[in-house]
């Protein structure tokens, strides 16, 4: 028995904001954004839309494709830093809406790496108890933390949520290895200063402290180095070589990072899944949304050996090797 991916789903706000829309509100250009990042448009939630509005349909799709009912789910792990509320957890909001009565629900706060961290926890639970059915969610409404006056961050991100149902089976899309890592010493390279206990929301709260701050160039270098390192670790644990990998689903943060990863792994871009042009960086949403699209559009074929790899705030990073 192995942990297997039984079904996937994803959802995003209907509202699409193009680079040309952004040109009207800040000093930027479609040309700069496409050349430096590969992003053409992103989904941005409208006022009132929240995490569970997208986590719920993504989870329902994943359950339907897994052939399971909400009441079959034993655990829900939601990789997110933007749940509906600071408390209860986003996973608890989804549990209530799904009617997943017997589930234990909790969030995994690892920024962009939240989904693969959740996958890692699910895989380890399943090694202890193969009868479990586990719903792993990843995604954000990250636009609430964007400063629309800061062109260096606002153009990069978008909102979306993905989900996958994991169980233990003899056959199926087998998760061969999941590896993770983090370095809290570098946390200030990518962070949101406020709303936590260090800078709580008080009467004189500075709204700027609600926004993402990032040292882009430094993050760029750490992203490539750590995604390569953790991918090699996952491959070694899976007993596979990089030559055997036939498809890569990388974190969708920057097209240049994706291309450099492909080069490091000596893979043609046709074997690398890309949807950053339509979504931007959806943080914990990039991997499950891409996985769902890769699975349902025919990009992933039976027999593919798939590498998932991600990097994010914390700093955190993770990779998984899946036999499709
Ligand atoms: C953010 C990122 C796209 C910036 O690209 P870059 O090539 O490093 O660009 P720089 O930050 O050096 O900026 C170059 C110039 O473009 C300008 N610029 C920045 N954002 C701009 C925008 N949206 N539109 C137009 N110009 C912009 C800068 O002001 C700078 O101008 P200057 O040379 O006159 O000072 C890139 O560093 C990146 O993607 N980093 C990794 C981000 C990441 O992965 N984050 C998430 C991890 S989960």
């Amino acid at each position: 028995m192995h942990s297997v991916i039984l079904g996937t789903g994803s959802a995003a706000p209907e509202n699409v904001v193009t680079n040309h829309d952004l040109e009207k509100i800040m000093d930027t250009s479609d040309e700069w954004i496409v050349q430096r990042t590969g992003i053409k448009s992103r989904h941005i939630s409208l006022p009132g839309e929240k995490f569970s509005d997208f986590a719920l349909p993504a989870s329902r799709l994943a359950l339907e494709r897994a052939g399971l009912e909400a009441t079959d789910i034993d655990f829900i792990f939601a990789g997110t830093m933007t749940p509906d509320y600071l408390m209860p957890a986003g996973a608890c909001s989804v549990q209530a809406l799904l009617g997943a009565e017997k589930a234990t629900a909790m969030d995994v706060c690892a920024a962009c790496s939240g989904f693969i961290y959740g996958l890692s926890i699910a895989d380890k639970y399943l090694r202890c108890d193969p009868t479990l059915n586990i719903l792993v969610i990843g995604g954000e409404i990250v636009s609430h933390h964007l400063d629309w006056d800061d062109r260096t961050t606002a153009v990069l991100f978008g909102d979306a949520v993905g989900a996958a149902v994991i169980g233990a089976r003899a056959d199926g899309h087998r998760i061969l290895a999941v590896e993770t890592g983090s370095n809290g010493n570098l946390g200030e390279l990518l962070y949101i200063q406020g709303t936590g206990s260090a800078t709580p929301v008080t009467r004189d709260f500075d709204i700027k402290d609600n926004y993402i701050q990032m040292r882009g160039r430094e993050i760029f270098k750490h992203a490539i180095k750590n995604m390569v390192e953790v991918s090699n670790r996952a491959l070694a644990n899976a007993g596979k070589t990089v030559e055997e990998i036939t498809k890569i689903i990388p974190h969708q943060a920057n097209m240049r990072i994706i291309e450099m990863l492909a080069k490091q792994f000596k893979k043609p871009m046709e074997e690398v899944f890309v949807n950053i042009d339509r979504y931007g960086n959806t943080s914990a949403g990039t991997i499950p949304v891409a996985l769902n699209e890769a699975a349902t559009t025919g990009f992933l074929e039976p027999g593919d050996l798939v590498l998932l790899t991600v990097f994010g705030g914390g700093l955190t990073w993770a990779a998984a090797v899946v036999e499709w």
Side-chain angles (χ1 to χ4, degrees):
M1 297 277 260
H2 268 85
S3 301
V4 303
I5 297 171
L6 296 169
T8 61
S10 66
E14 270 181 35
N15 179 45
V16 171
V17 174
T18 65
N19 293 345
H20 294 296
D21 294 328
L22 293 179
E23 283 173 348
K24 292 176 199 148
I25 60 165
M26 64 180 77
D27 181 17
T28 191
S29 66
D30 175 57
E31 192 192 359
W32 191 95
I33 303 171
V34 172
Q35 268 181 10
R36 300 286 179 122
T37 73
I39 302 165
K40 293 180 182 158
S41 63
R42 70 286 289 145
H43 296 258
I44 298 289
S45 60
L46 293 173
E49 286 183 321
K50 56 194 184 303
F51 172 75
S52 64
D53 293 332
F54 308 99
L56 179 66
S59 301
R60 281 195 172 132
L61 266 176
L63 278 166
E64 191 185 312
R65 290 177 179 147
L68 292 175
E69 301 294 329
T71 46
D72 296 324
I73 294 296
D74 299 285
F75 284 92
I76 303 175
F77 302 131
T80 188
M81 55 178 187
T82 55
D84 293 3
Y85 312 103
L86 209 51
M87 181 182 69
C92 290
S93 304
V94 177
Q95 176 196 20
L97 293 163
L98 275 178
E101 289 156 19
K102 75 170 175 182
T104 297
M106 65 177 106
D107 286 356
V108 182
C109 194
C112 303
S113 307
F115 178 79
I116 300 187
Y117 269 46
L119 212 58
S120 166
I121 301 167
D123 180 47
K124 285 163 184 69
Y125 271 52
L126 281 162
R127 285 168 198 254
C128 296
D129 182 354
T131 67
L132 299 174
N133 294 310
I134 303 179
L135 173 63
V136 182
I137 301 168
E140 315 284 0
I141 302 299
V142 72
S143 59
H144 293 165
H145 295 285
L146 294 180
D147 179 354
W148 296 106
D149 291 330
D150 177 8
R151 66 178 184 174
T152 67
T153 50
V155 304
L156 304 175
F157 294 91
D159 300 331
V161 183
V165 177
I166 317 295
R169 304 282 189 277
D171 301 312
H173 309 309
R174 302 198 312 177
I175 299 170
L176 301 185
V178 193
E179 287 290 318
T180 53
S182 37
N183 182 355
N185 291 314
L186 297 176
E188 287 189 7
L189 294 184
L190 175 55
Y191 76 115
I192 298 169
Q193 167 78 38
T195 74
S197 57
T199 310
V201 182
T202 56
R203 274 173 202 275
D204 27 293
F205 183 77
D206 181 351
I207 191 65
K208 292 261 175 221
D209 286 339
N210 182 48
Y211 299 140
I212 289 182
Q213 295 184 42
M214 181 173 70
R215 303 234 294 267
R217 287 202 167 183
E218 284 163 80
I219 287 285
F220 197 103
K221 287 182 219 147
H222 287 291
I224 293 168
K225 177 172 150 278
N226 289 301
M227 280 195 281
V228 168
E229 180 274 327
V230 77
S231 299
N232 285 332
R233 224 172 347 118
L235 282 164
N237 263 6
K240 301 286 181 186
T241 62
V242 71
E243 289 74 30
E244 290 173 276
I245 291 292
T246 55
K247 299 282 164 66
I248 301 179
I249 300 183
H251 183 40
Q252 311 282 316
N254 186 312
M255 192 60 193
R256 288 182 293 150
I257 295 178
I258 296 172
E259 285 168 350
M260 285 175 96
L261 270 182
K263 208 169 155 193
Q264 289 269 345
F265 291 129
K266 298 190 175 62
K267 298 293 173 192
M269 282 307 289
E270 299 77 61
E271 293 177 11
V272 181
F273 190 83
V274 174
N275 64 8
I276 190 174
D277 51 326
R278 292 178 288 119
Y279 286 97
N281 181 350
T282 61
S283 179
T286 65
I287 295 292
V289 171
L291 176 66
N292 179 50
E293 292 193 344
T296 53
T297 57
F299 178 83
L300 294 183
E301 295 165 309
D304 269 336
L305 191 67
V306 190
L307 174 68
L308 312 174
T309 184
V310 76
F311 177 86
L315 301 178
T316 59
W317 51 89
V321 178
V322 180
E323 210 167 51
W324 201 251

